Amino acid sequence: MTDKPVSYIGCLPALGWNSWNTFTWDINETLIKEVADLFVSEGYKDAGYEYIVIDDCWSLRERDENGHLVPDPAKFPSGMKALADYIHEKGLKFGMYSCAGTHTCAGHPGSFEHEFEDAKQFAEWGVDYLKYDYCFKPRNVSGELLYKRMSLALKNCGRDILFSACNWGEDNVYDWIRESGAHSYRSTGDIQDNWESIKRLALSQIDKKAFTGSFCHNDMDMLVVGMYGGSNSDWIGHGLSGCTDTQYKTHFALWCMMGSPLMIGCDIRKATPFTKKLLQNKNLLAINQDPESRGAYRILVEPQWFGKDDAFILVKVLQNGDLAIGLFNLSDNDRELSLQFWDMGLSYLSGIGLSMYDCFTDENLGVFRERFAKNVPANDCIVLRASLTR
């Protein structure tokens, strides 16, 4: 038996950038290098983002005569090893894409029945992260088995590679994904750059709070923060207005509170000051990256007044005893949200209050007993870090 060093990749949700949401098939090594450069110069790396991930459409349509995947020489003339080296020299990590099926979603070669040779090739190129999609899987083959197979291949390829499974929440994935060895798993369909998509994905995962944690994170799909309709895909939102800044703020807060990996999907070369400040919010990132990686639980607010999905509170237990508290108003009207401390296990008779810190304004709001109530504008949120105090 060979002794291997202990690896902690995947302990926390991955932070990075992925090419798909904005660029889809229109990718090349110049673009990827520019993103890596900006990760360093614009502070994303210092904020904690580390993975630069190339999505689908990076390879030729056919494998070579030896059965190997071939990077498209028109898009990546220097090859993947050289690109990985460039990214590593920046102190960042390099991610790529493949698929559990015979072909990727865009029709390029998948890794079905090539898992071990592809994992070896990724390791030789210096890949640190693999997004593994689910298109064109033979119908009578178990998807669970295919993810377990690629997990084995990656864990024995000679390099630490984060395994990001992406089967869109199909095939009862919650029942078997942790045992498969995947470090994260897509639990939703594809996100779109609009408010209805954000709400739909978030609400679909609130009751799945037990299915996330260290080394196996519930991935609610990549971020659309800052896209403003900038995708070249009509499906994602090409030519549309995208979301408002308020809606992007709530989107980012939900993904942070719910422990999803945070993969930036916008063109950061065009990021507005608002987008950059939001994506680098140290308070929200600290909640997402809390070492215990616990899911958030939901507290309904006065359901007799309005629907339970329109407005709610999320609470996340943090390692140091603090609580992260998010007040979310997904409705189109301003609403006062009231948090009763009893619902978090704090009785008035305990003599314990909560010292509240606003994670967006960086303000200490003071100490509160028994309840906290605040008006939350339409589509907006308030995120607090609360410390217990007597």
Side-chain angles (χ1 to χ4, degrees):
M1 185 173 65
T2 302
D3 291 332
K4 297 180 180 179
V6 176
S7 172
Y8 292 98
I9 62 164
C11 179
L12 300 176
L15 305 181
W17 176 89
N18 180 291
S19 63
W20 185 255
N21 279 355
T22 293
F23 300 98
T24 58
W25 58 86
D26 190 15
I27 53 176
N28 57 69
E29 67 180 46
T30 299
L31 167 66
I32 304 305
K33 287 180 177 180
E34 287 176 352
V35 171
D37 293 345
L38 286 170
F39 253 45
V40 177
S41 65
E42 294 296 309
Y44 295 93
K45 177 178 179 289
D46 288 342
Y49 295 94
E50 58 179 346
Y51 291 99
I52 307 292
V53 181
I54 300 172
D55 211 281
D56 204 350
C57 305
W58 61 267
S59 75
L60 293 180
R61 293 277 179 175
E62 301 291 339
R63 291 175 179 265
D64 68 15
E65 64 275 10
N66 297 312
H68 295 151
L69 295 167
V70 182
D72 186 332
K75 295 178 177 180
F76 300 96
S78 302
M80 290 303 177
K81 179 65 168 65
L83 183 56
D85 289 345
Y86 185 91
I87 290 171
H88 292 153
E89 288 169 2
K90 300 282 181 180
L92 301 169
K93 296 180 179 179
F94 178 48
M96 291 189 69
Y97 168 99
S98 189
C99 190
T102 61
H103 293 79
T104 71
C105 298
H108 296 261
S111 290
F112 179 71
E113 294 193 328
H114 293 270
E115 291 87 356
F116 286 88
E117 62 193 271
D118 286 357
K120 181 175 182 293
Q121 188 170 25
F122 295 145
E124 291 171 351
W125 283 341
V127 171
D128 304 295
Y129 176 112
L130 179 67
K131 176 182 174 182
Y132 204 52
D133 222 333
Y134 206 46
C135 288
F136 299 106
K137 178 189 74 68
R139 295 185 184 277
N140 294 322
V141 177
S142 164
E144 176 182 351
L145 176 65
L146 294 182
Y147 280 99
K148 288 177 177 176
R149 184 187 296 169
M150 180 52 89
S151 174
L152 278 175
L154 292 174
K155 290 183 184 300
N156 289 276
C157 70
R159 183 177 180 83
D160 284 341
I161 298 179
L162 188 148
F163 186 24
S164 175
C166 182
N167 88 326
W168 326 314
E170 299 292 322
D171 300 333
N172 300 313
V173 66
Y174 306 99
D175 294 340
W176 52 263
I177 192 63
R178 177 170 287 278
E179 300 97 293
S180 77
H183 297 106
S184 66
Y185 65 100
R186 265 281 296 284
S187 54
T188 70
D190 289 356
I191 196 169
Q192 296 170 290
D193 186 17
N194 63 68
W195 179 233
E196 290 305 314
S197 175
I198 291 168
K199 289 197 297 182
R200 182 173 63 254
L201 296 190
L203 291 172
S204 75
Q205 296 307 301
I206 284 180
D207 64 348
K208 303 295 192 300
K209 54 186 175 291
F211 299 102
T212 194
S214 297
F215 298 106
C216 194
H217 304 279
N218 184 332
D219 181 356
M220 292 158 51
D221 204 4
M222 298 167 285
L223 297 168
V224 294
V225 171
M227 288 184 62
Y228 302 108
S231 175
N232 63 8
S233 164
D234 291 338
W235 164 253
I236 297 172
H238 173 67
L240 302 177
S241 60
C243 299
T244 66
D245 284 345
T246 295
Q247 291 166 346
Y248 284 139
K249 170 190 171 187
T250 301
H251 165 36
F252 187 66
L254 281 165
W255 266 234
C256 286
M257 285 288 300
M258 296 174 74
S260 177
L262 304 176
M263 303 303 291
I264 299 168
C266 70
D267 184 351
I268 65 170
R269 301 173 304 177
K270 302 176 181 178
T272 65
F274 173 87
T275 296
K276 178 180 173 182
K277 182 179 180 181
L278 178 61
L279 291 172
Q280 296 185 21
N281 183 304
K282 64 182 187 300
N283 301 316
L284 271 293
L285 290 172
I287 291 170
N288 178 266
Q289 295 288 289
D290 186 75
E292 293 193 3
S293 293
R294 297 191 182 278
Y297 61 87
R298 176 171 60 172
I299 297 175
L300 301 179
V301 287
E302 299 298 345
Q304 70 269 30
W305 290 353
F306 39 82
K308 66 180 181 180
D309 287 341
D310 277 342
F312 53 86
I313 294 167
L314 293 179
V315 180
K316 184 181 180 77
V317 176
L318 304 178
Q319 185 187 54
N320 70 342
D322 286 355
L323 297 170
I325 301 171
L327 285 67
F328 293 96
N329 178 13
L330 306 188
S331 78
D332 294 326
N333 301 294
D334 294 1
R335 286 179 173 165
E336 181 182 89
L337 303 189
S338 176
L339 171 63
Q340 311 303 311
F341 291 3
W342 263 100
D343 293 327
M344 299 183 295
L346 289 176
S347 69
Y348 186 82
L349 293 178
S350 70
I352 295 174
L354 292 178
S355 177
M356 299 289 200
Y357 179 84
D358 191 310
C359 292
F360 284 111
T361 66
D362 287 315
E363 294 178 286
N364 288 306
L365 303 182
V367 176
F368 295 81
R369 294 279 304 278
E370 197 166 19
R371 82 165 191 150
F372 178 87
K374 197 77 171 179
N375 184 68
V376 182
N379 301 170
D380 206 347
C381 67
I382 296 170
V383 178
L384 309 165
R385 187 164 183 132
S387 300
L388 277 65
T389 182
R390 292 187 180 276

